Amino acid sequence: MSTTLVKNGTIVTASDRYEADVYIDKGVVSLIGRGISLPADTIVDASGKLVMPGGIDVHTHLDMPFGGTTSSDDFETGTIAAAHGGTTTLIDFAIQNFGEGLYPAYESWMGRAEGKSVIDYAFHMIVRELSEQASHDMDKLVRHDGITSFKLFMAYPGVFQVDDATIFKAMKRTRENGGLVCMHAENGGVIDTLVQEALKRGEKAPKYHALTRPTRAEGEATGRAIALAEMAGVPVYIVHLSCHDALEKVKQARDMGLPAYAETCPQYLFLSYDDYEKPGFEGAKYVMSPPLREKWHQDSLWKGLQKNDLQVVSTDHCPFCMNEAHQKLLGKDDFSKIPNGAPGIETRLYLLWDGGVRQGRIDAHRFVELVSTSPAKMFGLWPKKGTIAVGSDGDLVLWDPEKETTLGLASMHMRVDYNPYEGRVVKGGPAVVISRGEVIVDHGEFKGKKGRGVYVKRQAGHPLVP
Ligand code: URP
Ligand code: ZN
Ligand code: ZN
């Protein structure tokens, strides 16, 4: 194992900014100081760059069977793209099969990632049935295997949706075992009824995906999830929060002192319902759940990020190709058959820096907090990940505030045939990306190796985020 010295940079963490060198020994930061002159196998000049902790994306779906197909990025292509975008750790969702406990899913996702992932990875577990076996496995996963969070769905009837009793029981179980429930909060019964009615009226185009998933359905489910968590006496984390209605529920709960947390994603900050009105089948590019909302919701979400009612920005990366037969085209004549999801694993930091820091909505410290430190603290990775400190993993992104990038297929590495932000010019981007001391991206060139990423066991316990 080698040593790496990052010289002459400006360190920016969630709390601090100072000029210093960083010395990484066997993958771990061992010294931070001015003018370090120790010999090193690799020396990286960070002059003019901000040295920040590597991004942590806590919501990805790589190689995921869904909607009659499989997400188009696997753990090799998806993590290479993530690395190019400055992300050095991700948490993906393993999915319990019906009729099974949780361990077959854990092993299956381990099989997908091991030997392929180029960055470090961990898993949440999607619980579809809370059998005796599954309840027992929840405890064991938390205590022995570092899977400390469980996603439950209030939508997708027949596929993922579970009833309130199941959610409540799972939450009570996390009270005992120290896990955290992550909630897909949309009212599946209401949405399914609206979808069936729309199809009967002959409304088949992609935009009806959004028109049958009202913001109230997200707000109602978010409020219900928080109430269930309050009754169970546990924290809850709302995933991919998209709208003002849902944010209000989180805000009210937090104002009451309840441990309610939520993430949003760049698509809800930068894209809107208008994208569904694009001609032909174009709108399918943006079919995801929750859907894109009217533009005015974006202001609420930015306020939520500023005031810490939203604590994390993740991607919900779940790409499907537009022009491959068994991907988005599955829903050519019926919006309800379009696989839900969009790419974003590579564009998160670019977008949040350009639209957040450069536009004066958040500062660089809040940026680090949203994309790295709070994700790590929320999901049991901190202080190993999510900060730059002696003893932390040497996961760094050397950020060039002057770098200009045109987001799109030509500049990005995700294995999917469109980019939702095609043509958008952003300023600020990763120059060098370092994972456990190893340079894995150097000015746009991938230097890592397939399979070099390792599984990270996470710690259980109450989220460390305020
Ligand atoms: O449309 C989405 N969000 N696809 C991924 C699955 C999920 O609900 O997160
Ligand atoms: Zn979801
Ligand atoms: Zn998701």
Side-chain angles (χ1 to χ4, degrees), residues 20 30 42 53 73 103 109 111 187 196 231 250 282 305 391 434:
S30 62
T42 306
D73 264 321
Y103 271 85
W109 255 260
N187 186 317
Q196 297 317 321
M231 289 186 278
V250 175
E282 281 287 280
L305 293 173
I434 298 175

Side-chain angles (χ1 to χ4, degrees), residues 59-61 64 66 93 126 151 153 156 160 184 186 209 239-240 263 267-268 286-291 315-318 320 328 339-342:
H59 191 148
T60 67
H61 302 280
M64 180 212 198
F66 190 43
F93 289 87
I126 290 176
K151 183 176 178 187
F153 286 73
Y156 299 120
F160 288 131
H184 180 125
E186 288 185 293
H209 171 76
V239 296
H240 46 45
E263 64 179 18
Q267 52 269 35
Y268 303 119
Y286 311 96
V287 167
M288 63 187 79
S289 295
T315 64
D316 195 9
H317 177 76
C318 190
F320 298 102
K328 293 282 187 185
N340 284 202

